[in-house]
Amino acid sequence: MNVHPKKLLVIIVEAVIEKSLIRDARQFGAHGYTISEVRGGGSSGDREAAWEADRLIEMKVICDEAVAAKLAQHVLASYAPHYAVTMFTADVGVFRPQKF
């Protein structure tokens, strides 16, 4: 079975920018994404999702390295100065590369 290399970009951010983030991912060439509501804590304090402005989402995008880099750069420049943002990448292997 052939495995094809891709990048997994994970963005954890305040839920208020979800629609903008989806638009951005598509604009930069992502073919798809997965979004989940998450909770956590860190240097910005705890996020328990007890009220609307306290909600976080985790967006996962599997894509080419160039798409991940452009999207990550945009998120850092456009959202990180104003919102809580955590972001990381990982190398992944996919079985159906045409989906990504």
Side-chain angles (χ1 to χ4, degrees), residues 9-57:
L9 175 62
V10 179
I11 305 166
I12 302 169
V13 68
E14 295 175 46
V16 69
I17 64 170
E18 179 176 343
K19 288 182 182 178
S20 296
L21 204 53
I22 291 168
R23 181 196 67 232
D24 296 341
R26 289 183 173 144
Q27 177 183 332
F28 286 103
H31 295 171
Y33 58 89
T34 300
I35 294 180
S36 304
E37 288 192 24
V38 296
R39 293 183 308 277
S43 62
S44 298
D46 293 336
R47 298 279 182 149
E48 298 177 0
W51 51 295
E52 188 65 26
D54 195 39
R55 291 178 48 240
L56 293 173
I57 60 165

mmCIF file of all heavy atoms in Angstrom, residues 9-57:
data_model
loop_
_atom_site.group_PDB
_atom_site.id
_atom_site.type_symbol
_atom_site.label_atom_id
_atom_site.label_comp_id
_atom_site.label_asym_id
_atom_site.label_seq_id
_atom_site.Cartn_x
_atom_site.Cartn_y
_atom_site.Cartn_z
ATOM 1 N N LEU A 9 -1.711 20.542 9.415
ATOM 2 C CA LEU A 9 -1.659 21.832 10.096
ATOM 3 C C LEU A 9 -2.804 21.849 11.100
ATOM 4 O O LEU A 9 -3.961 21.637 10.725
ATOM 5 C CB LEU A 9 -1.807 22.984 9.105
ATOM 6 C CG LEU A 9 -1.889 24.394 9.701
ATOM 7 C CD1 LEU A 9 -0.617 24.751 10.464
ATOM 8 C CD2 LEU A 9 -2.175 25.411 8.603
ATOM 9 N N VAL A 10 -2.483 22.069 12.363
ATOM 10 C CA VAL A 10 -3.488 22.143 13.425
ATOM 11 C C VAL A 10 -3.498 23.561 13.964
ATOM 12 O O VAL A 10 -2.451 24.091 14.352
ATOM 13 C CB VAL A 10 -3.198 21.133 14.558
ATOM 14 C CG1 VAL A 10 -4.234 21.249 15.664
ATOM 15 C CG2 VAL A 10 -3.155 19.711 14.006
ATOM 16 N N ILE A 11 -4.683 24.165 13.955
ATOM 17 C CA ILE A 11 -4.856 25.536 14.433
ATOM 18 C C ILE A 11 -5.884 25.510 15.549
ATOM 19 O O ILE A 11 -7.026 25.097 15.343
ATOM 20 C CB ILE A 11 -5.347 26.463 13.300
ATOM 21 C CG1 ILE A 11 -4.409 26.401 12.095
ATOM 22 C CG2 ILE A 11 -5.497 27.896 13.815
ATOM 23 C CD1 ILE A 11 -4.995 27.020 10.830
ATOM 24 N N ILE A 12 -5.490 25.941 16.735
ATOM 25 C CA ILE A 12 -6.410 26.057 17.864
ATOM 26 C C ILE A 12 -6.588 27.545 18.105
ATOM 27 O O ILE A 12 -5.615 28.273 18.334
ATOM 28 C CB ILE A 12 -5.853 25.350 19.114
ATOM 29 C CG1 ILE A 12 -5.593 23.875 18.796
ATOM 30 C CG2 ILE A 12 -6.828 25.500 20.286
ATOM 31 C CD1 ILE A 12 -4.809 23.137 19.842
ATOM 32 N N VAL A 13 -7.837 28.000 18.018
ATOM 33 C CA VAL A 13 -8.101 29.438 18.005
ATOM 34 C C VAL A 13 -9.484 29.713 18.576
ATOM 35 O O VAL A 13 -10.326 28.814 18.668
ATOM 36 C CB VAL A 13 -7.956 29.983 16.560
ATOM 37 C CG1 VAL A 13 -9.054 29.461 15.670
ATOM 38 C CG2 VAL A 13 -7.881 31.479 16.515
ATOM 39 N N GLU A 14 -9.721 30.949 18.929
ATOM 40 C CA GLU A 14 -11.029 31.353 19.426
ATOM 41 C C GLU A 14 -12.100 31.108 18.369
ATOM 42 O O GLU A 14 -11.915 31.415 17.183
ATOM 43 C CB GLU A 14 -11.003 32.819 19.825
ATOM 44 C CG GLU A 14 -10.063 33.087 20.997
ATOM 45 C CD GLU A 14 -9.946 34.558 21.330
ATOM 46 O OE1 GLU A 14 -10.981 35.244 21.390
ATOM 47 O OE2 GLU A 14 -8.796 35.006 21.533
ATOM 48 N N ALA A 15 -13.226 30.562 18.782
ATOM 49 C CA ALA A 15 -14.292 30.144 17.865
ATOM 50 C C ALA A 15 -14.886 31.303 17.075
ATOM 51 O O ALA A 15 -15.432 31.095 15.994
ATOM 52 C CB ALA A 15 -15.389 29.425 18.643
ATOM 53 N N VAL A 16 -14.760 32.500 17.557
ATOM 54 C CA VAL A 16 -15.358 33.653 16.890
ATOM 55 C C VAL A 16 -14.832 33.846 15.467
ATOM 56 O O VAL A 16 -15.515 34.422 14.627
ATOM 57 C CB VAL A 16 -15.178 34.932 17.743
ATOM 58 C CG1 VAL A 16 -13.722 35.355 17.801
ATOM 59 C CG2 VAL A 16 -16.047 36.056 17.244
ATOM 60 N N ILE A 17 -13.649 33.336 15.164
ATOM 61 C CA ILE A 17 -13.094 33.520 13.813
ATOM 62 C C ILE A 17 -13.223 32.273 12.943
ATOM 63 O O ILE A 17 -12.603 32.182 11.882
ATOM 64 C CB ILE A 17 -11.630 34.015 13.850
ATOM 65 C CG1 ILE A 17 -10.717 32.990 14.495
ATOM 66 C CG2 ILE A 17 -11.536 35.369 14.525
ATOM 67 C CD1 ILE A 17 -9.254 33.330 14.320
ATOM 68 N N GLU A 18 -14.058 31.327 13.338
ATOM 69 C CA GLU A 18 -14.202 30.071 12.592
ATOM 70 C C GLU A 18 -14.545 30.297 11.116
ATOM 71 O O GLU A 18 -13.900 29.733 10.236
ATOM 72 C CB GLU A 18 -15.270 29.187 13.228
ATOM 73 C CG GLU A 18 -15.486 27.889 12.496
ATOM 74 C CD GLU A 18 -16.486 26.971 13.176
ATOM 75 O OE1 GLU A 18 -16.789 27.158 14.376
ATOM 76 O OE2 GLU A 18 -16.970 26.051 12.498
ATOM 77 N N LYS A 19 -15.544 31.102 10.828
ATOM 78 C CA LYS A 19 -15.953 31.315 9.432
ATOM 79 C C LYS A 19 -14.832 31.958 8.616
ATOM 80 O O LYS A 19 -14.605 31.587 7.467
ATOM 81 C CB LYS A 19 -17.222 32.161 9.366
ATOM 82 C CG LYS A 19 -18.438 31.403 9.825
ATOM 83 C CD LYS A 19 -19.694 32.219 9.713
ATOM 84 C CE LYS A 19 -20.866 31.394 10.236
ATOM 85 N NZ LYS A 19 -22.114 32.119 10.209
ATOM 86 N N SER A 20 -14.119 32.886 9.205
ATOM 87 C CA SER A 20 -12.989 33.517 8.506
ATOM 88 C C SER A 20 -11.886 32.503 8.246
ATOM 89 O O SER A 20 -11.265 32.501 7.174
ATOM 90 C CB SER A 20 -12.439 34.682 9.324
ATOM 91 O OG SER A 20 -13.397 35.693 9.461
ATOM 92 N N LEU A 21 -11.639 31.645 9.204
ATOM 93 C CA LEU A 21 -10.596 30.633 9.071
ATOM 94 C C LEU A 21 -10.945 29.627 7.972
ATOM 95 O O LEU A 21 -10.072 29.230 7.184
ATOM 96 C CB LEU A 21 -10.402 29.924 10.409
ATOM 97 C CG LEU A 21 -9.081 29.270 10.700
ATOM 98 C CD1 LEU A 21 -7.923 30.239 10.511
ATOM 99 C CD2 LEU A 21 -9.077 28.709 12.100
ATOM 100 N N ILE A 22 -12.200 29.248 7.872
ATOM 101 C CA ILE A 22 -12.642 28.348 6.803
ATOM 102 C C ILE A 22 -12.436 29.012 5.449
ATOM 103 O O ILE A 22 -11.904 28.396 4.513
ATOM 104 C CB ILE A 22 -14.114 27.947 7.007
ATOM 105 C CG1 ILE A 22 -14.250 27.043 8.233
ATOM 106 C CG2 ILE A 22 -14.671 27.259 5.763
ATOM 107 C CD1 ILE A 22 -15.681 26.818 8.687
ATOM 108 N N ARG A 23 -12.843 30.261 5.335
ATOM 109 C CA ARG A 23 -12.657 30.999 4.084
ATOM 110 C C ARG A 23 -11.178 31.065 3.724
ATOM 111 O O ARG A 23 -10.783 30.834 2.583
ATOM 112 C CB ARG A 23 -13.235 32.415 4.226
ATOM 113 C CG ARG A 23 -13.115 33.258 2.951
ATOM 114 C CD ARG A 23 -13.330 34.725 3.209
ATOM 115 N NE ARG A 23 -12.225 35.230 4.032
ATOM 116 C CZ ARG A 23 -12.389 35.919 5.159
ATOM 117 N NH1 ARG A 23 -13.575 36.224 5.602
ATOM 118 N NH2 ARG A 23 -11.340 36.324 5.848
ATOM 119 N N ASP A 24 -10.336 31.371 4.701
ATOM 120 C CA ASP A 24 -8.896 31.472 4.469
ATOM 121 C C ASP A 24 -8.307 30.139 4.012
ATOM 122 O O ASP A 24 -7.491 30.097 3.084
ATOM 123 C CB ASP A 24 -8.176 31.932 5.734
ATOM 124 C CG ASP A 24 -8.571 33.335 6.165
ATOM 125 O OD1 ASP A 24 -9.102 34.096 5.338
ATOM 126 O OD2 ASP A 24 -8.356 33.654 7.351
ATOM 127 N N ALA A 25 -8.690 29.052 4.661
ATOM 128 C CA ALA A 25 -8.159 27.735 4.297
ATOM 129 C C ALA A 25 -8.471 27.422 2.842
ATOM 130 O O ALA A 25 -7.604 26.964 2.089
ATOM 131 C CB ALA A 25 -8.731 26.665 5.223
ATOM 132 N N ARG A 26 -9.686 27.688 2.432
ATOM 133 C CA ARG A 26 -10.062 27.435 1.035
ATOM 134 C C ARG A 26 -9.310 28.362 0.085
ATOM 135 O O ARG A 26 -8.855 27.944 -0.979
ATOM 136 C CB ARG A 26 -11.564 27.604 0.878
ATOM 137 C CG ARG A 26 -12.343 26.485 1.538
ATOM 138 C CD ARG A 26 -13.824 26.623 1.320
ATOM 139 N NE ARG A 26 -14.511 25.447 1.817
ATOM 140 C CZ ARG A 26 -15.682 25.486 2.397
ATOM 141 N NH1 ARG A 26 -16.319 26.628 2.565
ATOM 142 N NH2 ARG A 26 -16.253 24.370 2.825
ATOM 143 N N GLN A 27 -9.183 29.615 0.480
ATOM 144 C CA GLN A 27 -8.486 30.601 -0.354
ATOM 145 C C GLN A 27 -7.033 30.206 -0.582
ATOM 146 O O GLN A 27 -6.493 30.417 -1.671
ATOM 147 C CB GLN A 27 -8.555 31.972 0.312
ATOM 148 C CG GLN A 27 -7.801 33.058 -0.415
ATOM 149 C CD GLN A 27 -7.838 34.381 0.343
ATOM 150 O OE1 GLN A 27 -8.763 34.669 1.088
ATOM 151 N NE2 GLN A 27 -6.813 35.172 0.162
ATOM 152 N N PHE A 28 -6.391 29.623 0.416
ATOM 153 C CA PHE A 28 -4.986 29.257 0.289
ATOM 154 C C PHE A 28 -4.773 27.866 -0.296
ATOM 155 O O PHE A 28 -3.650 27.408 -0.403
ATOM 156 C CB PHE A 28 -4.275 29.401 1.634
ATOM 157 C CG PHE A 28 -4.024 30.832 2.006
ATOM 158 C CD1 PHE A 28 -4.809 31.466 2.949
ATOM 159 C CD2 PHE A 28 -3.028 31.565 1.381
ATOM 160 C CE1 PHE A 28 -4.597 32.801 3.279
ATOM 161 C CE2 PHE A 28 -2.804 32.897 1.696
ATOM 162 C CZ PHE A 28 -3.598 33.516 2.652
ATOM 163 N N GLY A 29 -5.864 27.184 -0.690
ATOM 164 C CA GLY A 29 -5.727 25.944 -1.427
ATOM 165 C C GLY A 29 -6.020 24.659 -0.689
ATOM 166 O O GLY A 29 -5.816 23.578 -1.240
ATOM 167 N N ALA A 30 -6.515 24.734 0.537
ATOM 168 C CA ALA A 30 -6.877 23.506 1.255
ATOM 169 C C ALA A 30 -8.114 22.890 0.609
ATOM 170 O O ALA A 30 -9.058 23.596 0.280
ATOM 171 C CB ALA A 30 -7.137 23.810 2.727
ATOM 172 N N HIS A 31 -8.109 21.580 0.438
ATOM 173 C CA HIS A 31 -9.242 20.890 -0.170
ATOM 174 C C HIS A 31 -10.316 20.554 0.855
ATOM 175 O O HIS A 31 -11.454 20.267 0.493
ATOM 176 C CB HIS A 31 -8.786 19.614 -0.850
ATOM 177 C CG HIS A 31 -7.887 19.874 -2.015
ATOM 178 N ND1 HIS A 31 -7.223 18.871 -2.666
ATOM 179 C CD2 HIS A 31 -7.532 21.019 -2.656
ATOM 180 C CE1 HIS A 31 -6.499 19.381 -3.650
ATOM 181 N NE2 HIS A 31 -6.669 20.682 -3.651
ATOM 182 N N GLY A 32 -9.950 20.551 2.126
ATOM 183 C CA GLY A 32 -10.898 20.220 3.183
ATOM 184 C C GLY A 32 -10.312 20.527 4.544
ATOM 185 O O GLY A 32 -9.160 20.939 4.662
ATOM 186 N N TYR A 33 -11.112 20.310 5.563
ATOM 187 C CA TYR A 33 -10.700 20.594 6.934
ATOM 188 C C TYR A 33 -11.635 19.849 7.875
ATOM 189 O O TYR A 33 -12.710 19.392 7.474
ATOM 190 C CB TYR A 33 -10.764 22.103 7.232
ATOM 191 C CG TYR A 33 -12.146 22.668 7.008
ATOM 192 C CD1 TYR A 33 -13.087 22.679 8.030
ATOM 193 C CD2 TYR A 33 -12.528 23.166 5.772
ATOM 194 C CE1 TYR A 33 -14.365 23.163 7.818
ATOM 195 C CE2 TYR A 33 -13.800 23.657 5.548
ATOM 196 C CZ TYR A 33 -14.709 23.647 6.585
ATOM 197 O OH TYR A 33 -15.981 24.115 6.369
ATOM 198 N N THR A 34 -11.232 19.739 9.121
ATOM 199 C CA THR A 34 -12.065 19.195 10.189
ATOM 200 C C THR A 34 -12.002 20.176 11.349
ATOM 201 O O THR A 34 -10.910 20.640 11.702
ATOM 202 C CB THR A 34 -11.561 17.806 10.640
ATOM 203 O OG1 THR A 34 -11.593 16.922 9.522
ATOM 204 C CG2 THR A 34 -12.423 17.243 11.758
ATOM 205 N N ILE A 35 -13.159 20.481 11.922
ATOM 206 C CA ILE A 35 -13.206 21.408 13.053
ATOM 207 C C ILE A 35 -13.909 20.735 14.230
ATOM 208 O O ILE A 35 -14.960 20.120 14.056
ATOM 209 C CB ILE A 35 -13.926 22.716 12.678
ATOM 210 C CG1 ILE A 35 -13.111 23.479 11.645
ATOM 211 C CG2 ILE A 35 -14.175 23.573 13.923
ATOM 212 C CD1 ILE A 35 -13.717 24.786 11.186
ATOM 213 N N SER A 36 -13.315 20.889 15.418
ATOM 214 C CA SER A 36 -13.887 20.390 16.665
ATOM 215 C C SER A 36 -13.859 21.499 17.702
ATOM 216 O O SER A 36 -12.960 22.346 17.684
ATOM 217 C CB SER A 36 -13.069 19.211 17.205
ATOM 218 O OG SER A 36 -12.965 18.185 16.263
ATOM 219 N N GLU A 37 -14.833 21.478 18.606
ATOM 220 C CA GLU A 37 -14.771 22.384 19.752
ATOM 221 C C GLU A 37 -13.853 21.749 20.785
ATOM 222 O O GLU A 37 -13.897 20.540 21.009
ATOM 223 C CB GLU A 37 -16.163 22.598 20.347
ATOM 224 C CG GLU A 37 -17.036 23.445 19.450
ATOM 225 C CD GLU A 37 -18.316 23.908 20.140
ATOM 226 O OE1 GLU A 37 -18.348 23.976 21.386
ATOM 227 O OE2 GLU A 37 -19.262 24.199 19.412
ATOM 228 N N VAL A 38 -12.990 22.567 21.394
ATOM 229 C CA VAL A 38 -12.027 22.059 22.362
ATOM 230 C C VAL A 38 -11.977 22.968 23.587
ATOM 231 O O VAL A 38 -12.446 24.101 23.562
ATOM 232 C CB VAL A 38 -10.605 21.930 21.738
ATOM 233 C CG1 VAL A 38 -10.612 20.903 20.622
ATOM 234 C CG2 VAL A 38 -10.106 23.254 21.224
ATOM 235 N N ARG A 39 -11.394 22.459 24.651
ATOM 236 C CA ARG A 39 -11.161 23.226 25.877
ATOM 237 C C ARG A 39 -9.709 23.022 26.268
ATOM 238 O O ARG A 39 -9.088 22.038 25.894
ATOM 239 C CB ARG A 39 -12.069 22.731 26.995
ATOM 240 C CG ARG A 39 -13.524 22.997 26.768
ATOM 241 C CD ARG A 39 -14.377 22.540 27.945
ATOM 242 N NE ARG A 39 -14.129 21.162 28.348
ATOM 243 C CZ ARG A 39 -14.661 20.087 27.777
ATOM 244 N NH1 ARG A 39 -15.451 20.230 26.743
ATOM 245 N NH2 ARG A 39 -14.403 18.891 28.223
ATOM 246 N N GLY A 40 -9.171 23.948 27.032
ATOM 247 C CA GLY A 40 -7.797 23.785 27.478
ATOM 248 C C GLY A 40 -7.319 24.971 28.281
ATOM 249 O O GLY A 40 -8.085 25.891 28.588
ATOM 250 N N GLY A 41 -6.052 24.959 28.601
ATOM 251 C CA GLY A 41 -5.460 26.033 29.372
ATOM 252 C C GLY A 41 -4.011 26.217 28.980
ATOM 253 O O GLY A 41 -3.382 25.324 28.422
ATOM 254 N N GLY A 42 -3.492 27.394 29.256
ATOM 255 C CA GLY A 42 -2.110 27.699 28.926
ATOM 256 C C GLY A 42 -1.735 29.061 29.452
ATOM 257 O O GLY A 42 -2.318 29.554 30.421
ATOM 258 N N SER A 43 -0.794 29.707 28.781
ATOM 259 C CA SER A 43 -0.289 31.000 29.248
ATOM 260 C C SER A 43 -1.359 32.089 29.229
ATOM 261 O O SER A 43 -1.253 33.076 29.948
ATOM 262 C CB SER A 43 0.904 31.425 28.386
ATOM 263 O OG SER A 43 0.502 31.584 27.038
ATOM 264 N N SER A 44 -2.410 31.905 28.429
ATOM 265 C CA SER A 44 -3.503 32.885 28.376
ATOM 266 C C SER A 44 -4.612 32.566 29.370
ATOM 267 O O SER A 44 -5.644 33.228 29.375
ATOM 268 C CB SER A 44 -4.098 32.937 26.965
ATOM 269 O OG SER A 44 -3.136 33.341 26.039
ATOM 270 N N GLY A 45 -4.419 31.532 30.184
ATOM 271 C CA GLY A 45 -5.431 31.131 31.155
ATOM 272 C C GLY A 45 -6.188 29.906 30.684
ATOM 273 O O GLY A 45 -5.815 29.263 29.705
ATOM 274 N N ASP A 46 -7.255 29.580 31.395
ATOM 275 C CA ASP A 46 -8.070 28.415 31.066
ATOM 276 C C ASP A 46 -9.228 28.821 30.176
ATOM 277 O O ASP A 46 -9.814 29.887 30.344
ATOM 278 C CB ASP A 46 -8.615 27.770 32.339
ATOM 279 C CG ASP A 46 -7.511 27.166 33.188
ATOM 280 O OD1 ASP A 46 -6.449 26.843 32.631
ATOM 281 O OD2 ASP A 46 -7.720 27.022 34.409
ATOM 282 N N ARG A 47 -9.555 27.940 29.253
ATOM 283 C CA ARG A 47 -10.710 28.126 28.362
ATOM 284 C C ARG A 47 -11.634 26.940 28.602
ATOM 285 O O ARG A 47 -11.354 25.828 28.189
ATOM 286 C CB ARG A 47 -10.282 28.165 26.889
ATOM 287 C CG ARG A 47 -9.361 29.288 26.539
ATOM 288 C CD ARG A 47 -10.149 30.563 26.339
ATOM 289 N NE ARG A 47 -9.243 31.644 25.955
ATOM 290 C CZ ARG A 47 -9.588 32.628 25.184
ATOM 291 N NH1 ARG A 47 -10.809 32.703 24.712
ATOM 292 N NH2 ARG A 47 -8.730 33.576 24.893
ATOM 293 N N GLU A 48 -12.746 27.192 29.291
ATOM 294 C CA GLU A 48 -13.664 26.112 29.644
ATOM 295 C C GLU A 48 -14.922 26.109 28.797
ATOM 296 O O GLU A 48 -15.793 25.275 28.989
ATOM 297 C CB GLU A 48 -14.021 26.212 31.119
ATOM 298 C CG GLU A 48 -12.798 26.046 32.021
ATOM 299 C CD GLU A 48 -13.116 26.212 33.490
ATOM 300 O OE1 GLU A 48 -14.295 26.454 33.822
ATOM 301 O OE2 GLU A 48 -12.193 26.088 34.294
ATOM 302 N N ALA A 49 -15.064 27.067 27.870
ATOM 303 C CA ALA A 49 -16.238 27.179 26.990
ATOM 304 C C ALA A 49 -17.516 27.388 27.780
ATOM 305 O O ALA A 49 -18.586 26.976 27.363
ATOM 306 C CB ALA A 49 -16.340 25.964 26.071
ATOM 307 N N ALA A 50 -17.406 28.044 28.919
ATOM 308 C CA ALA A 50 -18.576 28.287 29.757
ATOM 309 C C ALA A 50 -19.502 29.337 29.147
ATOM 310 O O ALA A 50 -20.689 29.367 29.453
ATOM 311 C CB ALA A 50 -18.133 28.711 31.158
ATOM 312 N N TRP A 51 -18.970 30.181 28.293
ATOM 313 C CA TRP A 51 -19.780 31.189 27.615
ATOM 314 C C TRP A 51 -19.237 31.393 26.216
ATOM 315 O O TRP A 51 -18.130 30.976 25.892
ATOM 316 C CB TRP A 51 -19.831 32.487 28.424
ATOM 317 C CG TRP A 51 -18.502 33.028 28.851
ATOM 318 C CD1 TRP A 51 -17.614 32.467 29.710
ATOM 319 C CD2 TRP A 51 -17.895 34.248 28.414
ATOM 320 N NE1 TRP A 51 -16.492 33.256 29.839
ATOM 321 C CE2 TRP A 51 -16.642 34.363 29.062
ATOM 322 C CE3 TRP A 51 -18.292 35.263 27.545
ATOM 323 C CZ2 TRP A 51 -15.804 35.436 28.859
ATOM 324 C CZ3 TRP A 51 -17.441 36.339 27.356
ATOM 325 C CH2 TRP A 51 -16.222 36.412 28.009
ATOM 326 N N GLU A 52 -20.008 31.994 25.342
ATOM 327 C CA GLU A 52 -19.703 32.073 23.909
ATOM 328 C C GLU A 52 -18.309 32.619 23.608
ATOM 329 O O GLU A 52 -17.587 32.085 22.781
ATOM 330 C CB GLU A 52 -20.763 32.916 23.195
ATOM 331 C CG GLU A 52 -20.651 32.911 21.695
ATOM 332 C CD GLU A 52 -20.896 31.551 21.053
ATOM 333 O OE1 GLU A 52 -21.610 30.715 21.641
ATOM 334 O OE2 GLU A 52 -20.366 31.313 19.962
ATOM 335 N N ALA A 53 -17.903 33.682 24.251
ATOM 336 C CA ALA A 53 -16.611 34.313 23.964
ATOM 337 C C ALA A 53 -15.432 33.497 24.507
ATOM 338 O O ALA A 53 -14.284 33.838 24.244
ATOM 339 C CB ALA A 53 -16.578 35.721 24.528
ATOM 340 N N ASP A 54 -15.699 32.430 25.232
ATOM 341 C CA ASP A 54 -14.655 31.599 25.832
ATOM 342 C C ASP A 54 -14.432 30.304 25.044
ATOM 343 O O ASP A 54 -13.642 29.469 25.427
ATOM 344 C CB ASP A 54 -15.054 31.268 27.276
ATOM 345 C CG ASP A 54 -13.915 30.727 28.103
ATOM 346 O OD1 ASP A 54 -12.781 31.211 27.961
ATOM 347 O OD2 ASP A 54 -14.165 29.795 28.898
ATOM 348 N N ARG A 55 -15.131 30.136 23.928
ATOM 349 C CA ARG A 55 -15.055 28.910 23.139
ATOM 350 C C ARG A 55 -13.812 28.880 22.251
ATOM 351 O O ARG A 55 -13.412 29.890 21.704
ATOM 352 C CB ARG A 55 -16.300 28.754 22.260
ATOM 353 C CG ARG A 55 -17.553 28.485 23.034
ATOM 354 C CD ARG A 55 -18.797 28.370 22.149
ATOM 355 N NE ARG A 55 -18.585 27.494 21.011
ATOM 356 C CZ ARG A 55 -18.691 27.892 19.735
ATOM 357 N NH1 ARG A 55 -19.010 29.119 19.439
ATOM 358 N NH2 ARG A 55 -18.486 27.041 18.752
ATOM 359 N N LEU A 56 -13.243 27.676 22.115
ATOM 360 C CA LEU A 56 -12.114 27.436 21.222
ATOM 361 C C LEU A 56 -12.488 26.371 20.212
ATOM 362 O O LEU A 56 -13.301 25.485 20.500
ATOM 363 C CB LEU A 56 -10.888 26.936 21.997
ATOM 364 C CG LEU A 56 -10.215 27.878 22.965
ATOM 365 C CD1 LEU A 56 -9.138 27.143 23.743
ATOM 366 C CD2 LEU A 56 -9.631 29.065 22.242
ATOM 367 N N ILE A 57 -11.885 26.453 19.037
ATOM 368 C CA ILE A 57 -12.014 25.393 18.041
ATOM 369 C C ILE A 57 -10.625 24.894 17.672
ATOM 370 O O ILE A 57 -9.629 25.597 17.836
ATOM 371 C CB ILE A 57 -12.743 25.865 16.759
ATOM 372 C CG1 ILE A 57 -11.990 27.030 16.096
ATOM 373 C CG2 ILE A 57 -14.192 26.196 17.055
ATOM 374 C CD1 ILE A 57 -12.406 27.311 14.673
#
